[in-house]
């Protein structure tokens, strides 16, 4: 059984049957939302999808914690932004001036990536929720049970303990807008007396003010309670013993008198070969949009669909990147295949939860590996399609969806070659014969290959490959020496793509003329 279905079954068993199950993800937009944040969203989305797959109603809500305070200046933001520390993120101006706020600058591209990857959660902003007053009752409960909260939080703290002066809320000063405030007293009813560093002070009625915010370890379980959350995944930094998730489970039960949610810890996502944890504030991140610029959304989804949340996921952008495409294509072909029924059953949810194109039969599967060669030969999509058809990579009769996939893979392959491919993959077809010294046997071998191309018509890659090896035996030359000559005269390098497939992808007249020029 797929891991998302396992979690769905657990939710139903522990939360009981409901008209609708609520699955939540959430991020503070304090910097660019990276692929680690993407894991939280897609893990939530897949469990909500699994619930629907089992016949239940589910809702995926994504909370933007844009009401959190601006704590520190990210590395890619001007240093003078320290002036905004203490404001809520949604009130900090966009450093690039292209969005209405600092928060929106990072939220919008992430929402676009989620949509491109087939996710359409209900986006909720904490700033709107607080302004609407939906947590006022929980603020009152938290203040009334302040002593119990201190007891719970202290039981989870290893260092300095909270004392009786601690309050479970912060106040954004209506004068300066920052949370540089100190609560002096609470009358036990509705009046909070506080002062701000800017000099402003007042006694505020918590039933009317919309600038009071619960502190993080209380805010999170308050949200679970108020929104009826059944399930939420969180990073292992939150899921440690005594961490914010552990505390939240105690708070939702002992303060808000609601049952614990199904909380699941997920491992971090990293790039193959990269060191350390990604950090939005440090700027050492790769974004979902970066991956989606070189990888189809359904293949990107597949990486997360096949990997249990508790397992670390390393995404490769180097040569191993091609393996992800090869694996996905095998799963897709097996899913739509007529044989290996047991394997197809095993792969059903792997593919169904990944397939956002809506294929109901096996689509065109142009090899991404071969496509990375073709896009360095030509950018003409019609020519690319003809080569793919000639080489048997795709069928002759193509649907509009087939053509769309070929176009998409060609575009993404060109991006991958340009941005991430190792130098050994890159080449440029030489416009004129290079001035290179060849052995007489190499020249003879090139002429013999050109004769075969002219005399024997279209050969398959395997047939041409075998013919080249026959030539090496006839003229008694090491295969690698003849292959070296092929690459030298075509791309000016000692090695390159698989020679037979490469030659077949080129215009026959061009290859013949080039080989006979030596």
């Amino acid at each position: 059984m797929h891991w998302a279905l396992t979690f769905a079954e657990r939710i139903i068993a522990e939360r009981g049957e409901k008209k609708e199950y609520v699955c939540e993800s959430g991020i503070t937009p304090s910097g660019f939302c990276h692929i680690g944040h993407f894991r939280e969203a897609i893990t939530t989305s897949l469990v909500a999808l699994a619930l629907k797959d089992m016949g239940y109603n589910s809702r995926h809500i994504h909370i933007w914690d844009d009401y959190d305070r601006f704590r520190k200046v990210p590395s890619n933001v001007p240093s003078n932004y320290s002036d905004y520390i203490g404001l809520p993120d949604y009130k900090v101006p966009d450093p690039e001036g292209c969005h209405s706020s600092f928060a929106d600058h990072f939220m919008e591209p992430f929402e676009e990536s989620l949509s491109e990857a087939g996710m359409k959660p209900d986006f909720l902003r904490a700033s709107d929720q607080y302004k609407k007053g939906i947590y006022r009752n929980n603020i009152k409960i938290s203040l009334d049970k302040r002593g119990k909260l201190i007891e719970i939080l202290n039981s989870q703290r290893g260092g300095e303990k909270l004392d009786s002066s601690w309050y479970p809320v912060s106040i954004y000063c209506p004068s300066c807008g920052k949370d540089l405030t100190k609560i002096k007293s609470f009358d036990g009813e509705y009046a909070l007396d506080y002062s701000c560093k800017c000099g402003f002070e007042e006694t505020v009625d918590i039933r009317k003010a919309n600038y009071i915010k619960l502190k993080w370890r209380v805010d999170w379980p308050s949200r679970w309670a108020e929104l009826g959350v059944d399930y939420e995944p969180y990073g292992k930094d939150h899921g440690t013993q005594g961490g914010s998730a552990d505390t939240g489970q105690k708070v939702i039960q002992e303060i808000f008198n609601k049952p614990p949610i199904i909380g699941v810890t997920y491992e971090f996502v990293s790039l193959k070969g990269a060191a350390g944890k990604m950090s939005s504030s440090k700027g050492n991140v790769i974004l979902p949009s970066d991956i989606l610029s070189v990888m189809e959304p359904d293949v990107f989804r597949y990486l997360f669909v096949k990997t249990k949340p508790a397992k670390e996921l390393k995404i490769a952008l180097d040569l191993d990147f091609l393996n992800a495409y090869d694996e996905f294509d095998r799963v897709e072909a097996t899913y739509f295949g007529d044989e290996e029924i047991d394997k197809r059953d095993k792969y059903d949810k792997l593919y169904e939860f990944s397939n956002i194109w809506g294929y109901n039969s096996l689509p065109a599967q142009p090899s991404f590996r071969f496509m990375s060669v073709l896009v360095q030969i030509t950018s003409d999509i019609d020519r690319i399609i003809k080569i793919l058809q000639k080489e048997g990579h795709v069928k002759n009769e193509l649907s509009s969806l087939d053509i769309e996939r070929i176009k998409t893979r060609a575009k993404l392959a060109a991006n991958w070659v340009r941005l991430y491919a190792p130098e050994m993959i890159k080449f440029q077809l030489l416009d004129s014969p290079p001035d290179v010294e060849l052995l007489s046997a190499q020249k003879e071998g090139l002429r013999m290959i050109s004769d075969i191309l002219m005399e024997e018509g279209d050969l398959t890659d395997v047939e041409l490959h075998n013919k080249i090896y026959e030539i090496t035996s006839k003229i008694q030359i090491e295969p690698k020496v003849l292959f070296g000559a092929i690459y030298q005269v075509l791309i000016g390098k000692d090695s390159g793509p698989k020679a037979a497939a490469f030659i077949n992808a080129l215009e026959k007249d061009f290859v013949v003329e080039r080989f006979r020029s030596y």
Side-chain angles (χ1 to χ4, degrees), residues 235-259:
K236 66 178 184 180
D237 48 347
H238 291 302
T240 57
Q241 185 174 0
S244 52
D246 196 9
T247 303
Q249 296 285 37
K250 293 180 180 293
V251 171
I252 192 174
Q253 295 175 83
E254 298 181 34
I255 302 300
F256 300 119
N257 296 321
K258 296 290 178 67

Side-chain angles (χ1 to χ4, degrees), residues 470-491:
E470 289 174 9
I471 289 172
T472 63
S473 297
K474 288 179 181 178
I475 63 177
Q476 295 185 337
I477 186 175
E478 287 289 327
K480 67 178 181 181
V481 177
L482 180 53
F483 284 119
I486 292 171
Y487 298 126
Q488 279 291 342
V489 303
L490 292 175
I491 60 176

Side-chain angles (χ1 to χ4, degrees), residues 10 14-15 149 152-153 155-156 216-222 224-225 229-234 238-240 242-265:
R10 180 182 165 194
E14 294 187 21
R15 303 288 285 187
L149 274 170
I152 292 172
L153 295 176
S155 70
Q156 306 290 305
W216 164 241
R217 293 209 176 205
V218 186
D219 176 71
W220 197 13
S222 162
W224 294 340
V229 174
D230 297 294
Y231 165 86
E232 179 168 2
Y234 36 76
H238 291 302
T240 57
S244 52
D246 196 9
T247 303
Q249 296 285 37
K250 293 180 180 293
V251 171
I252 192 174
Q253 295 175 83
E254 298 181 34
I255 302 300
F256 300 119
N257 296 321
K258 296 290 178 67
I261 68 158
I262 310 301
V264 177
T265 301

Side-chain angles (χ1 to χ4, degrees), residues 331-362:
V331 169
E332 183 176 63
T334 303
Y335 178 82
F336 287 114
D338 294 327
E339 300 178 357
E340 299 184 87
I341 301 300
D342 291 342
K343 186 177 287 187
R344 189 165 77 244
D345 290 343
K346 175 184 176 183
Y347 287 166
D348 60 354
K349 297 308 174 190
L350 280 179
Y351 184 71
E352 289 170 14
F353 288 168
S354 303
N355 176 22
I356 62 171
W357 286 66
Y359 295 123
N360 51 30
S361 61
L362 183 64

Side-chain angles (χ1 to χ4, degrees), residues 133-200:
I134 72 169
Y135 298 123
R136 281 177 184 161
N137 187 52
N138 286 351
I139 288 173
K140 167 65 171 168
I141 292 171
S142 300
L143 287 168
D144 288 342
K145 298 183 178 181
R146 181 163 62 103
K148 182 62 177 177
L149 274 170
I150 291 173
E151 179 185 326
I152 292 172
L153 295 176
N154 280 340
S155 70
Q156 306 290 305
R157 294 169 70 91
E160 184 179 351
K161 304 295 184 182
L162 302 174
D163 60 30
S164 58
S165 65
W166 179 86
Y167 283 86
V169 297
S170 298
I171 300 176
Y172 284 111
C173 173
S175 178
C176 69
K178 299 182 178 182
D179 67 347
L180 306 178
T181 53
K182 182 178 180 179
I183 297 173
K184 297 177 180 178
S185 64
F186 172 58
D187 70 353
E189 292 294 329
Y190 301 102
L192 267 179
D193 187 36
Y194 74 96
S195 62
C196 180
K197 284 187 176 181
C198 73
F200 182 83

Side-chain angles (χ1 to χ4, degrees), residues 74-144:
S75 60
N76 55 345
V77 172
S79 59
N80 64 359
Y81 262 58
S82 59
D83 294 342
Y84 300 116
I85 289 177
L87 287 175
D89 284 333
Y90 85 100
K91 283 192 174 182
V92 177
D94 177 4
E96 296 184 20
C98 51
H99 292 85
S100 60
S101 72
F102 177 85
D104 283 89
H105 183 77
F106 302 112
M107 289 157 54
E108 183 178 295
F110 189 73
E111 290 185 8
E112 290 174 353
S113 292
L114 293 190
S115 177
E116 187 176 350
M119 288 174 276
K120 299 188 183 299
D122 294 333
F123 292 104
L124 304 177
R125 296 187 178 213
S127 57
D128 290 339
Q129 292 177 318
Y130 272 101
K131 281 186 279 187
K132 291 175 181 176
I134 72 169
Y135 298 123
R136 281 177 184 161
N137 187 52
N138 286 351
I139 288 173
K140 167 65 171 168
I141 292 171
S142 300
L143 287 168
D144 288 342

Side-chain angles (χ1 to χ4, degrees), residues 304-346:
F304 294 87
V305 171
K306 74 166 186 169
T307 309
K308 293 181 179 179
K311 185 178 179 181
E312 183 180 6
L313 176 59
K314 288 184 179 291
I315 297 178
L317 290 175
D318 58 7
L319 198 57
D320 284 344
F321 175 86
L322 302 176
N323 295 334
Y325 260 95
D326 292 343
E327 181 180 330
F328 176 81
D329 284 352
R330 285 195 299 271
V331 169
E332 183 176 63
T334 303
Y335 178 82
F336 287 114
D338 294 327
E339 300 178 357
E340 299 184 87
I341 301 300
D342 291 342
K343 186 177 287 187
R344 189 165 77 244
D345 290 343
K346 175 184 176 183

